[in-house]
Amino acid sequence: MRPFDLVEPATLEEAFHLLEGDDPAVRPIGGGTALMLMMKEQVFRPVRLVSLRHLAPQFGAISIDADHRMIRFGATTSFSELEHSAVVARHLPVVVRTMRTLANVRVRNVATLGGNLAHADPHLDLPPVWIALGAQIVIENPAGPRIVPAEDIFEGYYETNLRHDDIIREIRVPLNASQRASYVKITTRSAHDWPALGIAVRLEMKDGLAHHPRIVLSAATNKPTRLVRTEALAHGQPITPASLRELGEAAVSEADIASDSRGSADYKKHLLRVHLGRALHALALEE
Amino acid sequence: MASQTLTTPAMPAGQVGRSIPRLEAAAKVTGRAEYVHNMSLPGMLHGKIFRSVIPHGKIKHLDLDAARAVEGVFLVAAIDDIRKVIAHPYYGPAFHDQPILADGKVRYAGEPVAVVLADEAHIAEEAAGLISAEYEELPGVYDEVEAHGAQVFVHDELKPAATFPDLAHLLGRRDTNVALDFQLRRGDADAAFAAAEHVFEHHFRTQPTMHTPLEPFVSIADASGGSLTLHTASQNPSFVRIEIARLLGWPENRVRVKVPYLGGGFGGKLYIKLEALVTALSLIARRPVKISLTMQEQFFMVMRHAATIRIKSGVDKSGRITARSCEVWWNGGAYADIGPRVTQKAGFTAAGPYDIDNVELNSYAVYTNRTPAGALRGFGAPQTCWAYETHTDMIAAKLGIDQLAFRRMNLLHDGRPQATGTILRDAAIDKVLDRVAERMNWGTPLERGTGRIRRGRGIAIGFKGITAPTTSVAMINLYADGSCGLYIGTVDMGQGSDTCMAQIAAEVLNLDAESIKVIHPDTDVTPYDMGTLGSRSTFHMGTAVRLAALDANQKIAALAEELGVPPNSNLPFSELLRRKYRMQAGNIIGIGSFIPGYDKPDQETGQSANVTPFWGVGGSGAEVEIDIETGEFKVTKLVNVADVGAAINPKLLAAQLSGAAIMQLGFTTSENMLYRDGQLTNGSFADYKIPCLLDMPAVFINEFVESRQHDGPFGAKGAGESTTIAVSPAIGNAIADAIGVRLMDLPLTAEAIHGAILAAGIGGDDEH
Ligand SMILES: Cc1cc2nc3c(=O)[nH]c(=O)nc-3n(C[C@H](O)[C@H](O)[C@H](O)COP(=O)(O)OP(=O)(O)OC[C@H]3O[C@@H](n4cnc5c(N)ncnc54)[C@H](O)[C@@H]3O)c2cc1C
């Protein structure tokens, strides 16, 4: 690996200054778990990495609004902090459950929420969960901050619309006491593998009917993707074998799935059909 | 007793059979154990390889200028540079077919074409990225069956190496991709098929897989001083010395090969790998040269043979197998490596551990334009066992005979001739099968599941012969203070050979195993050993060590007599040395050398009176749980039983048995090198999946049976491979038992099971 500069600014202004210009070899670094792999592979050869870890006081907290309507995650929060947070366990148990099969303890101890979003590998487990939960992303830029829905930052395979001088600051997740959510990671080879499919689902149940469902598919598609037609179809529906079959077919026809080493397109479509049905069924039964 | 007044430790009893922890355990867990990977020499250059991106073609132009221009680059070398120091730069254990760097032609995607040397590895890496090559692409052959008869030839001419006696018959030939064809004829298979009540024929395939040692290939050559020292992660120091000396035209005593611990080998680090390349580069550069491959580059070094297997059996009215014929095509990749021996040795046992009077076997080592294939834990036995044990299960099912009963009815027992004609001896095949059945509770019905979950169970048993004839030499040096050094060429690559050999020496010498120092392979110091391979070390080196210790004891006795000390005085040898030299001085050196008997199989019939020093035997049983809606499955129970003779160290043995089984579990369910048009498409550990802890079966039993190898050290034989043999068919048979559908090709994936379920129209889609 070629030598490079690692800088650790203490303020956002300094960070912006260090990121100035449009050299793609100058980038922010969170936990470095994704960047290091790309550097070893020579896909990325940095000149300067701008670490965000000293911004932690403003960027690293998990907090909940006084009215309990919103939970905020600083972008340098590590996966382990998420995993072990009592607040998250209480309000967003799906996030804690997702951590159980995400990477390993060494990676979780250092990988950050901001780096995870910006990396935009479609196989990552957390982005579909954020999207299903209706998360908003706060992005800082020298020209001023902006807030966008999580699904809007993903453009394609390892591609986001983040600009060179954008720094993710925070993830905001609206809370809703009556929502139920789950994430299913489906691996087809060894247990510890990138998912062939990730399915994140969130909904409310009213009088036996699904309300405001959000259904997100990842890994099998080139970016985490909301299946909006399937969501629309599910809204107001009871969860029965017949409706699940219909929703499964809708999801399969809506999703753009290609073959890869984890499975053929047909097989992955079949897994989507079956596992989406099982996920919806389990949520409907949940207390 | 008089001797107790001297500083003799209490008489250690039973060094053999003791589960002592590994001698190097503390050094390893504290990060102090020595590996080539961590080694650095003064003035050392780092090499980085530029590889072919096409599977077959002529090199039209190689542009090295941009790489040479990089600041910090010391040298950029291609084959013409290598020729300046090694005139005929071709190597290999079976054929001298592999060029040190591509010589005008590339034969697989990933083949080394040029090398950059620099003071810093990252500079070499960057410069290697600037090399470019233009090729005239040639049509390639990738499939082993197609390559067998193809008109595209991987090599124009085959040049046998004539290094090993068991491969002495290899021929120099033109216009063929077949490196070796082994054939065996016993009885009259044609007549027996004609007379058979039932005839069954099936075709099977196994996929290419990889060794995946934790420590990738790494070698350092230091030729800066007129002689050569190699520090290399090799399972084969003696062979490396012989082959490098041959390449250089030097006497063996100018080549020194040193091997510290290995971070795993599994057959991958056998024969020559990077050693010839670093040797040539160090001679050119006159500085030490190190090349360490990345994890990903391992995919381009050596792999396990993919195989296609056709197998046919004739069965009589009573359910006895009367005839079996097998044809096996081994995908050898672009260079033969040790593939011809795999082809031959796995050929011997391709009909399975059954007593069959009429056998016909053909086994072909076939060149293709893929990564070379070589030895991998089991030497082909797991591939052939996949075929014969699936086939055997299918026959039993078809005949409506219980799978265990059918096997018992046909099993090969001690005293009966095996397919090669060699009389079976000390092979506890029956005991292993019995124990598997017992641990599987075969007599008790299985809870078979309901709805979308179905359960099934299966068993399988297999065996293998051992590479022969091979030699091990051991030396014991008793120092004047009463301590002991054991000098052996066996490489401890994680299997625990240091510990096991120390136990054998300690048993004979009446010392504590923990007090013995095992001196690691250094060809200037340790005597010859053929190699740490094919389950041979405990039997061959173990015997040599025992003989060396006996030799030392005789010399102690002679010294006592010389000094007039009465026999049985129990005076320790240190005291004898002190009396002789009047001070703490001198040595007692014991030497042991061992080569088992061998009878070369007949060229036409494969018949031999003594084809193997011993038989490795392994049986497995598996229970699986399948989701018939998706094909997703779990191996919920895996039982592995081996015949290892007597146990030198039961704890180490258990680790060997479970390790071998886990490795084979990966080769059964997930590992698969995927090729498209000769290009590997999943050459990383994100996409080539080895099993992890979460993939372990909930019930995982590994055992050995009570047995004794009559001529093994203290009754022991090799144990490193036995539990690889039968894992795949046990799992495949369990899947078939659960869903009634057979998979004929490895690996057994959820998608393949789902496909088979769909094709058979099993289950409904009404469950949620
Ligand atoms: C062994 C291993 C196993 C893994 N297994 C899993 C798994 O099972 N499931 C899973 O989902 N993931 C897995 N991962 C991936 C892991 O989740 C990601 O590597 C991690 O989330 C990236 O976060 P990071 O902070 O380390 O990012 P970094 O490597 O620091 O950065 C990644 C990218 O984000 C940019 N960046 C970082 N922070 C910011 C910011 N605040 N604003 C803007 N851009 C930023 C960087 O410039 C870079 O482009 C695994 C990784 C490893 C190494």
Side-chain angles (χ1 to χ4, degrees):
Chain A
M1 212 182 287
R2 195 161 60 180
F4 57 89
D5 290 335
L6 178 67
V7 288
E8 298 182 332
T11 66
L12 191 58
E13 292 64 40
E14 251 185 276
F16 284 142
H17 178 67
L18 288 162
L19 285 170
E20 241 168 38
D22 50 11
D23 184 353
V26 175
R27 291 201 58 79
I29 178 170
T33 60
L35 280 176
M36 281 299 290
L37 287 184
M38 298 199 293
M39 286 155 65
K40 282 192 195 165
E41 291 293 308
Q42 309 245 326
V43 196
F44 176 58
R45 297 156 182 241
V47 167
R48 179 191 301 153
L49 292 178
V50 180
S51 166
L52 305 178
R53 67 196 203 108
H54 286 301
L55 304 181
Q58 318 127 47
F59 275 53
I62 301 176
S63 62
I64 185 160
D65 287 4
D67 58 6
H68 280 205
R69 294 182 65 171
M70 174 95 78
I71 184 163
R72 297 161 194 265
F73 301 95
T76 61
T77 306
S78 74
F79 285 175
S80 293
E81 288 166 301
L82 209 65
E83 184 181 1
H84 300 295
S85 154
V87 176
V88 182
R90 196 157 103 237
H91 295 281
L92 293 173
V94 62
V95 171
V96 176
R97 284 198 301 268
T98 301
M99 288 300 131
R100 302 245 160 84
T101 55
L102 193 153
N104 55 53
V105 69
R106 294 167 301 284
V107 170
R108 291 198 298 272
N109 279 342
V110 291
T112 65
L113 299 187
N116 183 256
L117 278 172
H119 188 46
D121 177 340
H123 302 97
L124 297 177
D125 294 309
L126 212 41
V129 176
W130 291 140
I131 296 171
L133 294 173
Q136 304 272 326
I137 313 297
V138 182
I139 301 165
E140 296 283 358
N141 184 277
R146 64 188 191 279
I147 301 181
V148 296
E151 61 260 47
D152 286 358
I153 68 172
F154 300 108
E155 293 274 291
Y157 200 69
Y158 287 91
E159 241 184 279
T160 66
N161 54 24
L162 294 173
R163 292 190 290 263
H164 182 75
D165 49 0
D166 278 345
I167 294 179
I168 298 174
R169 180 194 188 104
E170 189 174 277
I171 298 168
R172 297 179 177 174
V173 180
L175 292 179
N176 174 338
S178 60
Q179 83 178 354
R180 307 162 181 204
S182 72
Y183 171 70
V184 193
K185 176 177 192 163
I186 301 149
T187 61
T188 51
R189 302 179 298 193
S190 67
H192 191 200
D193 189 6
W194 290 114
L197 288 84
I199 303 172
V201 184
R202 130 336 142 205
L203 50 73
E204 295 148 47
M205 290 301 290
K206 284 196 193 120
D207 309 323
L209 305 180
H211 275 263
H212 306 295
R214 286 170 76 98
I215 301 174
V216 187
L217 175 66
S218 60
T221 44
N222 66 357
K223 61 175 183 175
T225 306
R226 273 181 70 183
L227 302 181
V228 287
R229 291 206 296 276
T230 312
E231 288 174 0
L233 197 64
H235 180 66
Q237 288 265 339
I239 301 297
T240 62
S243 73
L244 289 178
R245 233 188 328 265
E246 195 188 346
L247 292 171
E249 290 315 321
V252 163
S253 67
E254 182 175 2
D256 185 11
I257 297 179
S259 300
D260 64 14
S261 62
R262 288 166 208 89
S264 68
D266 279 349
Y267 183 58
K268 286 194 282 188
K269 284 178 184 170
H270 180 69
L271 290 175
L272 172 59
R273 194 180 278 133
V274 173
H275 285 290
L276 176 61
R278 289 183 190 173
L280 288 167
H281 183 64
L283 283 183
L285 291 180
E286 222 175 66
E287 269 316 300
Chain B
M1 269 200 305
S3 63
Q4 291 301 317
T5 57
L6 299 164
T7 55
T8 318
M11 198 78 103
Q15 295 296 322
V16 159
R18 218 162 43 100
S19 282
I20 61 171
R22 291 190 197 182
L23 301 182
E24 75 284 10
K28 280 192 176 166
V29 297
T30 54
R32 287 173 174 81
E34 188 186 17
Y35 293 93
V36 181
H37 195 80
N38 301 327
M39 195 180 285
S40 181
L41 299 179
M44 187 173 82
L45 293 164
H46 296 267
K48 200 73 203 170
I49 297 172
F50 168 79
R51 295 171 184 278
S52 165
V53 292
I54 66 161
H56 199 195
K58 289 186 182 142
I59 302 172
K60 279 174 56 188
H61 181 69
L62 194 56
D63 188 349
L64 307 174
D65 293 345
R68 287 194 171 120
V70 173
E71 196 179 322
V73 166
F74 183 86
L75 177 82
V76 183
I79 189 69
D80 294 337
D81 305 286
I82 304 291
R83 269 214 176 79
K84 288 176 198 153
V85 290
I86 298 178
H88 188 72
Y90 284 80
Y91 63 89
F95 290 90
H96 293 154
D97 59 357
Q98 190 155 1
I100 292 176
L101 289 171
D103 187 2
K105 210 177 183 192
V106 292
R107 296 187 177 85
Y108 69 97
E111 179 163 5
V113 174
V115 185
V116 179
L117 293 183
D119 283 306
E120 307 237 24
H122 73 90
I123 294 176
E125 189 173 19
E126 200 171 316
L130 299 175
I131 296 177
S132 64
E134 270 175 51
Y135 302 98
E136 177 192 331
E137 291 200 38
L138 297 170
V141 279
Y142 311 115
D143 177 274
E144 58 274 11
V145 179
E146 273 168 36
H148 189 185
Q151 284 308 304
V152 170
F153 302 112
V154 180
H155 294 271
D156 300 331
E157 193 184 347
L158 305 180
K159 301 197 180 75
T163 311
F164 294 112
D166 60 330
L167 300 174
H169 59 286
L170 288 179
L171 298 176
R173 294 197 285 195
R174 293 192 72 88
D175 298 339
T176 177
N177 289 322
V178 180
L180 171 141
D181 48 16
F182 168 76
Q183 66 170 33
L184 181 149
R185 299 288 179 268
R186 181 167 186 77
D188 185 344
D190 288 343
F193 281 123
E197 178 79 9
H198 315 273
V199 174
F200 303 90
E201 180 171 341
H202 302 112
H203 294 242
F204 300 91
R205 297 198 68 149
T206 69
Q207 81 284 25
T209 59
M210 204 179 61
H211 306 72
T212 327
L214 201 53
E215 172 199 43
F217 297 88
V218 54
S219 299
I220 301 173
D222 183 0
S224 46
S227 63
L228 172 73
T229 302
L230 279 157
H231 305 269
T232 180
S234 169
Q235 296 173 235
N236 233 170
S238 297
F239 179 80
V240 168
R241 174 160 76 168
I242 291 169
E243 186 71 343
I244 295 292
R246 180 189 69 79
L247 284 166
L248 297 175
W250 288 6
E252 280 194 53
N253 68 5
R254 270 179 76 194
V255 179
R256 178 178 192 179
V257 182
K258 297 183 73 171
V259 181
Y261 290 112
L262 250 61
F266 310 113
K269 293 173 180 167
L270 282 170
Y271 309 106
I272 287 216
K273 290 296 171 321
L274 293 169
E275 291 87 355
L277 179 58
V278 290
T279 294
L281 293 170
S282 180
L283 282 166
I284 298 169
R286 296 170 187 273
R287 284 170 65 175
V289 171
K290 178 176 191 174
I291 296 186
S292 336
L293 296 195
T294 62
M295 280 284 177
Q296 282 84 338
E297 282 181 292
Q298 297 195 79
F299 288 97
F300 303 120
M301 183 59 97
V302 63
M303 62 183 187
R304 185 170 95 162
H305 289 79
T308 299
I309 304 161
R310 182 192 64 75
I311 177 164
K312 179 175 157 186
S313 295
V315 183
D316 72 10
K317 273 206 183 76
S318 71
R320 286 277 314 179
I321 305 170
T322 53
R324 190 164 267 188
S325 113
C326 315
E327 211 170 356
V328 191
W329 292 262
W330 302 92
N331 194 320
Y335 299 104
D337 195 273
I338 201 62
R341 180 181 281 149
V342 172
T343 301
Q344 187 194 52
K345 295 295 185 275
F348 294 156
T349 53
Y354 298 107
D355 195 339
I356 308 172
D357 287 334
N358 305 287
V359 181
E360 183 183 272
L361 305 173
N362 285 290
S363 184
Y364 316 105
V366 187
Y367 283 111
T368 60
N369 293 108
R370 303 213 297 209
T371 296
L376 198 167
R377 206 171 197 173
F379 238 75
Q383 291 99 312
T384 56
C385 187
W386 164 245
Y388 64 69
E389 277 303 81
T390 310
H391 176 69
T392 299
D393 225 62
M394 293 171 81
I395 297 174
K398 206 70 186 187
L399 299 178
I401 305 176
D402 172 75
Q403 320 283 6
L404 176 63
F406 182 66
R407 286 182 172 85
R408 279 192 177 137
M409 193 188 305
N410 286 288
L411 215 58
L412 187 62
H413 295 277
D414 267 17
R416 293 284 302 158
Q418 191 268 341
T420 55
T422 298
I423 303 296
L424 202 73
R425 183 162 186 199
D426 298 338
I429 301 174
D430 40 5
K431 278 190 185 172
V432 168
L433 184 61
D434 289 350
R435 189 63 182 157
V436 169
E438 199 178 312
R439 290 309 229 155
M440 289 296 293
N441 305 316
W442 196 258
T444 322
L446 181 73
E447 201 282 285
R448 308 195 68 87
T450 51
R452 60 183 172 84
I453 297 299
R454 303 287 163 85
R455 298 194 184 83
R457 65 181 170 194
I459 50 170
I461 185 155
F463 71 151
K464 74 180 289 279
I466 304 301
T467 295
T470 71
T471 302
S472 290
V473 185
M475 187 171 92
I476 279 172
N477 191 343
L478 300 175
Y479 308 130
D481 69 343
S483 62
C484 169
L486 174 58
Y487 295 66
I488 52 173
T490 296
V491 176
D492 197 322
M493 47 190 185
Q495 83 280 38
S497 55
D498 281 5
T499 311
C500 170
M501 298 301 166
Q503 285 180 269
I504 292 172
E507 177 77 30
V508 180
L509 294 167
N510 252 330
L511 298 172
D512 265 327
E514 291 90 335
S515 74
I516 292 182
K517 173 164 184 183
V518 180
I519 285 84
H520 283 161
D522 173 347
T523 54
D524 270 10
V525 177
T526 50
Y528 176 86
D529 177 49
M530 186 270 184
T532 307
L533 62 93
S535 298
R536 66 178 290 284
S537 296
T538 299
F539 182 80
H540 293 77
M541 186 58 85
T543 301
V545 168
R546 194 176 70 87
L547 295 174
L550 288 171
D551 187 41
N553 277 349
Q554 273 177 14
K555 287 176 175 156
I556 294 171
L559 181 59
E561 199 182 315
E562 180 191 322
L563 295 169
V565 176
N568 305 324
S569 75
N570 273 341
L571 219 52
F573 63 81
S574 54
E575 180 56 23
L576 296 176
L577 286 171
R578 181 183 298 281
R579 289 191 189 178
K580 178 170 167 93
Y581 298 109
R582 297 163 201 269
M583 58 185 286
Q584 184 175 316
N587 301 80
I588 292 168
I589 294 187
I591 299 288
S593 176
F594 178 61
I595 182 161
Y598 171 71
D599 175 38
K600 192 169 164 41
D602 181 85
Q603 270 293 104
E604 298 300 312
T605 64
Q607 297 300 294
S608 158
N610 186 4
V611 81
T612 175
F614 64 88
W615 299 98
V617 181
S620 295
E623 285 181 14
V624 299
E625 191 175 288
I626 302 177
D627 180 335
I628 58 166
E629 235 181 329
T630 61
E632 291 166 295
F633 73 106
K634 271 200 292 249
V635 178
T636 49
K637 177 173 178 177
L638 187 61
V639 174
N640 305 289
V641 182
D643 166 17
V644 297
I648 305 283
N649 183 325
K651 196 164 129 195
L652 276 182
L653 195 53
Q656 278 297 293
L657 299 182
S658 66
I662 290 167
M663 200 161 177
Q664 192 62 32
L665 181 66
F667 296 161
T668 304
T669 60
S670 62
E671 294 180 51
N672 190 3
M673 290 169 70
L674 298 167
Y675 281 89
R676 194 186 310 126
D677 301 328
Q679 299 282 355
L680 182 69
T681 59
N682 64 334
S684 84
F685 292 105
D687 279 320
Y688 176 91
K689 296 309 295 183
I690 60 176
C692 69
L693 278 177
L694 299 173
D695 294 298
M696 293 309 110
V699 182
F700 185 36
I701 299 169
N702 298 285
E703 292 187 353
F704 50 92
V705 295
E706 198 66 36
S707 135
R708 225 187 139 66
Q709 177 70 27
H710 73 281
D711 51 356
F714 303 101
K717 57 173 147 179
E721 303 170 301
S722 305
T723 50
T724 63
I725 302 175
V727 171
S728 303
I731 295 172
N733 292 340
I735 291 171
D737 183 52
I739 58 173
V741 184
R742 283 281 166 187
L743 298 182
M744 312 296 271
D745 299 345
L746 289 176
L748 308 172
T749 63
E751 180 165 1
I753 294 173
H754 178 67
I757 288 173
L758 281 189
I762 301 163
D765 59 350
D766 53 346
E767 307 94 343
H768 272 298

